[in-house]
Amino acid sequence: MLLQYFPKNFFFFRRDHSCFDKLSLLSGAHNVLFPKIAELLRRQGGEEILIFAGGIVPPEDIPRLKSSGIAEVFGPGTSTQEIVRFLKQSFRING
């Protein structure tokens, strides 16, 4: 029951109009929830928001997530430097 309400409630927890959102959850419902959140963001005018995810996501699930609007998926052990590189490249930041 909770999973059907999570994507819509996600928007109530956002404090501002961020330029990116990082998604992570432990329920294993990433194939359902992440695409739904990406869709709702687009519907709410958030097409420019970069969405990336992290956590234990099976490699075979990553292409589907990316095709749904998730820009990147970082697995366990991903270094902070790698995530920062990704963000700099995504926003074309030098340095």
Side-chain angles (χ1 to χ4, degrees):
M1 184 70 91
L2 174 65
L3 292 180
Q4 75 185 55
Y5 295 109
F6 176 77
K8 289 181 182 176
N9 289 337
F10 171 80
F11 298 99
F12 294 115
F13 296 108
R14 295 190 67 213
R15 294 190 183 128
D16 56 30
H17 299 288
S18 303
C19 57
F20 68 89
D21 270 315
K22 196 276 190 194
L23 303 174
S24 181
L25 48 91
L26 299 173
S27 70
H30 54 270
N31 279 329
V32 174
L33 296 178
F34 291 177
K36 185 66 175 174
I37 289 169
E39 175 190 341
L40 289 171
L41 268 174
R42 285 190 298 272
R43 277 201 234 155
Q44 297 289 322
E47 297 87 3
E48 75 289 348
I49 296 173
L50 176 72
I51 306 168
F52 61 102
I56 300 172
V57 176
E60 60 270 16
D61 293 349
I62 293 173
R64 180 176 184 271
L65 293 173
K66 286 185 173 184
S67 71
S68 75
I70 307 302
E72 188 58 81
V73 179
F74 296 102
T78 301
S79 71
T80 302
Q81 292 85 358
E82 185 176 342
I83 296 169
V84 169
R85 259 191 311 277
F86 164 76
L87 290 171
K88 284 181 174 182
Q89 289 174 348
S90 296
F91 293 108
R92 311 246 188 307
I93 298 171
N94 296 322

